[in-house]
Amino acid sequence: ELKVEQNPLFLSMQEGKNYTIYCNYSTTSDRLYWYRQDPGKSLESLFVLLSNGAVKQEGRLMASLDTKARLSTLHITAAVHDLSATYFCAGNTGNQFYFGTGTSLTVIP
Amino acid sequence: KAGVTQTPRYLIKTRGQQVTLSCSPISGHRSVSWYQQTPGQGLQFLFEYFSETQRNKGNFPGRFSGRQFSNSRSEMNVSTLELGDSALYLCASSYRGRVVIGANVLTFGAGSRLTVL
């Protein structure tokens, strides 16, 4: 079974700073996904990474994938308060998805 | 287009009762998956339905069951509720195509928050 681990679990960062969330997975995953969840809300898809070396960017968030290391990163640039949320990475085998425990990000003014 | 719709959004039950949750996927999406989200266990996969057939099943007891109808709408049922079943139950739909890029991206509903007393 695919196991997905994220770290850190909790992240408190100041506005304007940069930080990276790490996502390790145990076996081959078809693709790697990043989702965002705001408190009391559902999950929203951020990125889908299809192959080794893939990099996707949207605003202050950039996701990358290293399939050889079984590692994906979500890099936050110049954090702003609106980025406060829980971020999940997920892998899949076919249509079965396995989610990490999530990283709760709080951006402090 | 309309998103994934889950009903009810909130419900309170007592131990031993049963509950049925409903999920209407995005139009054109034929796969529906169910997840249980709790603070302690995170997001755990319950099952996936495609073309009215259960295709994948997570590690949950038989009290958890589901079905899918011909219009792709899905229901999940939990019988003999236990306190530990209190959770946010999320439904997600996807196209489940074989060649479409991004076809496997899950789109989640707002969830049904179940409290068992």
Side-chain angles (χ1 to χ4, degrees):
Chain A
E1 177 180 303
L2 177 61
K3 295 201 184 302
V4 180
E5 291 185 355
Q6 282 180 243
N7 68 84
L9 297 185
F10 299 94
L11 177 55
S12 180
M13 54 189 299
Q14 285 189 307
E15 277 190 334
K17 298 293 187 183
N18 304 333
Y19 209 85
T20 300
I21 299 171
Y22 297 88
C23 174
N24 291 91
Y25 54 100
S26 60
T27 64
T28 302
S29 178
D30 292 352
R31 296 167 183 171
L32 200 290
Y33 304 78
W34 285 94
Y35 285 85
R36 167 182 171 147
Q37 186 177 35
D38 291 293
K41 305 281 187 177
S42 189
L43 279 79
E44 172 192 354
S45 175
L46 293 173
F47 301 109
V48 182
L49 301 169
L50 303 179
S51 59
N52 189 44
V55 177
K56 294 274 186 79
Q57 182 161 7
E58 180 76 33
R60 301 175 188 274
L61 299 178
M62 183 174 72
S64 65
L65 178 63
D66 180 345
T67 57
K68 293 177 183 174
R70 294 186 185 143
L71 170 68
S72 180
T73 60
L74 181 66
H75 187 72
I76 302 152
T77 302
V80 293
H81 180 68
D82 286 352
L83 290 180
S84 296
T86 299
Y87 293 85
F88 292 91
C89 65
N92 73 301
T93 52
N95 241 52
Q96 189 150 353
F97 286 71
Y98 302 87
F99 283 81
T101 50
T103 296
S104 177
L105 170 65
T106 303
V107 180
I108 304 167
Chain B
K1 57 183 178 183
V4 178
T5 304
Q6 289 188 248
T7 57
R9 291 290 314 279
Y10 303 91
L11 64 167
I12 300 173
K13 294 284 187 178
T14 56
R15 280 180 297 175
Q17 287 187 308
Q18 73 163 14
V19 66
T20 298
L21 309 178
S22 179
C23 173
S24 293
I26 288 175
S27 178
H29 283 190
R30 297 166 60 198
S31 168
V32 174
S33 302
W34 289 90
Y35 291 81
Q36 181 195 65
Q37 186 177 29
T38 58
Q41 299 295 320
L43 269 161
Q44 293 188 287
F45 173 75
L46 280 155
F47 27 64
E48 184 226 353
Y49 286 87
F50 176 74
S51 291
E52 303 176 62
T53 302
Q54 188 181 90
R55 303 291 176 157
N56 293 291
K57 188 177 191 306
N59 191 24
F60 277 82
R63 300 185 297 108
F64 292 81
S65 63
R67 58 178 176 168
Q68 187 181 35
F69 303 95
S70 58
N71 62 357
S72 295
R73 190 177 72 84
S74 177
E75 290 181 346
M76 69 163 281
N77 184 277
V78 188
S79 62
T80 320
L81 284 165
E82 301 176 359
L83 295 179
D85 297 334
S86 294
L88 179 66
Y89 290 88
L90 291 164
C91 163
S93 75
S94 68
Y95 177 73
R96 211 185 198 263
R98 284 180 291 179
V99 296
V100 176
I101 299 296
N104 270 12
V105 175
L106 299 177
T107 301
F108 283 85
S112 293
R113 185 166 294 281
L114 170 65
T115 301
V116 182
L117 302 176

